[in-house]
Amino acid sequence: MNVELAVATAEPSGAGATPPYTCLPLNSVSRRGRAAVNGWQTTAVRLTGLSGTVHAIGVRLTVTTGPVRWRLGGLAVHDGSTPPAAPGNVRITAATGGDLRFAWDAAVGDVRHYELHRVLPDGTRRFLGGTAQRAYFVPGLQPEQGERTARFEVRAVGELYLASAPMTVTHTW
């Protein structure tokens, strides 16, 4: 099966006429974002070579044999892709043993959610959670690999799932 994104940058020639589409093949477009999960895949297409206003968007499927199993989960058109700014003033507002409450100031820009990671002594990161709020509670943390101070990162994630630079905070055990 061939999948193409059809983009019209002009109005149809008349009432009931098909818009003048330019078809961009998606089969050969490099994939961006997460790998296929449960059959779902994310594809980003840059509309290079086109100019003007997008008047219509379509998807064209070409099948040579067999039944079609394809579904459009979502479609978004954006004028550029810039990650949001990092959240500000990241801090631990309460700590009891390994129970920590994190808080931060909102990031500037379009923010989908915030992600909290723990940076382990070997440099790897462990995902602790995500939230659309500006605070997060993590229970039951303990020192890892003999660490005396734990480091945490908070990032803002934008509408296109681009993450901001991390803002860090530390906690001494």
Side-chain angles (χ1 to χ4, degrees):
M1 174 173 50
N2 290 321
V3 181
E4 295 173 291
L5 178 68
V7 181
T9 57
E11 291 288 344
S13 59
T18 303
Y21 285 110
T22 299
C23 291
L24 306 168
L26 298 183
N27 296 2
S28 62
V29 173
S30 63
R31 302 294 192 249
R32 192 175 92 176
R34 295 176 173 85
V37 175
N38 296 328
W40 287 92
Q41 207 160 10
T42 299
T43 303
V45 180
R46 297 200 183 283
L47 302 179
T48 55
L50 300 176
S51 62
T53 301
V54 173
H55 291 271
I57 295 177
V59 176
R60 181 164 72 174
L61 306 174
T62 307
V63 180
T64 53
T65 60
V68 175
R69 283 197 77 203
W70 192 86
R71 186 168 116 190
L72 178 64
L75 181 66
V77 178
H78 299 275
D79 189 14
S81 56
T82 305
N89 194 25
V90 177
R91 59 206 178 275
I92 297 173
T93 60
T96 305
D99 298 345
L100 303 178
R101 184 182 185 280
F102 297 86
W104 53 87
D105 295 339
V108 176
D110 292 327
V111 176
R112 178 177 290 276
H113 65 267
Y114 297 93
E115 293 182 349
L116 176 66
H117 288 86
R118 181 175 184 175
V119 182
L120 300 175
D122 64 3
T124 60
R125 294 184 316 144
R126 179 179 295 151
F127 178 75
L128 297 177
T131 180
Q133 304 301 314
R134 291 180 292 146
Y136 198 83
F137 176 76
V138 182
L141 293 174
Q142 296 181 10
E144 292 279 342
Q145 304 170 19
E147 70 183 351
R148 293 176 190 255
T149 302
R151 189 170 63 137
F152 301 91
E153 293 180 346
V154 177
R155 296 173 191 256
V157 179
E159 188 176 350
L160 297 178
Y161 296 100
L162 298 174
S164 71
M167 293 300 293
T168 60
V169 64
T170 59
H171 174 70
T172 303
W173 298 108

